[in-house]
């Protein structure tokens, strides 16, 4: 799980994209379209470990896909 604060939330097509601050980092989370979040709202996200993608910041290449 990750505890963080909502930075921005937007709906794109049939999914939502939650950008949250976790410490000094930002994390993007794909959500169901029916979810809603407010700016600066405290959130806890539980990751599905079968569907994690991690990108290298400088090259933006996917360095881990589970």
């Amino acid at each position: 799980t990750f505890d963080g604060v909502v930075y921005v939330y937007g709906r794109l097509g049939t999914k939502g994209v939650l950008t949250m601050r976790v410490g000094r980092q930002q994390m993007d989370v794909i959500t169901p379209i029916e979810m809603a979040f407010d700016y600066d709202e405290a959130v806890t996200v539980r990751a599905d470990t079968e569907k994690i993608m991690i990108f290298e910041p400088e090259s933006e290449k996917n360095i881990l896909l589970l």
Side-chain angles (χ1 to χ4, degrees), residues 2-64:
F2 301 94
D3 294 321
V5 177
V6 174
Y7 181 71
V8 68
Y9 180 73
R11 291 179 174 94
L12 300 171
T14 61
K15 301 288 181 186
V17 178
L18 167 65
T19 300
M20 59 187 280
R21 292 186 304 264
V22 180
R24 294 173 46 191
Q25 302 295 316
Q26 284 188 355
M27 176 185 298
D28 292 329
V29 179
I30 305 299
T31 71
I33 192 73
E34 57 274 354
M35 296 187 85
F37 300 93
D38 293 320
Y39 178 75
D40 274 343
E41 177 182 351
V43 292
T44 299
V45 173
R46 184 173 358 127
D48 180 346
T49 58
E50 299 290 319
K51 299 179 182 179
I52 293 176
M53 292 186 290
I54 298 176
F55 296 87
E56 198 277 318
E58 293 176 10
S59 69
E60 298 184 357
K61 289 184 180 180
N62 187 342
I63 58 175
L64 176 65

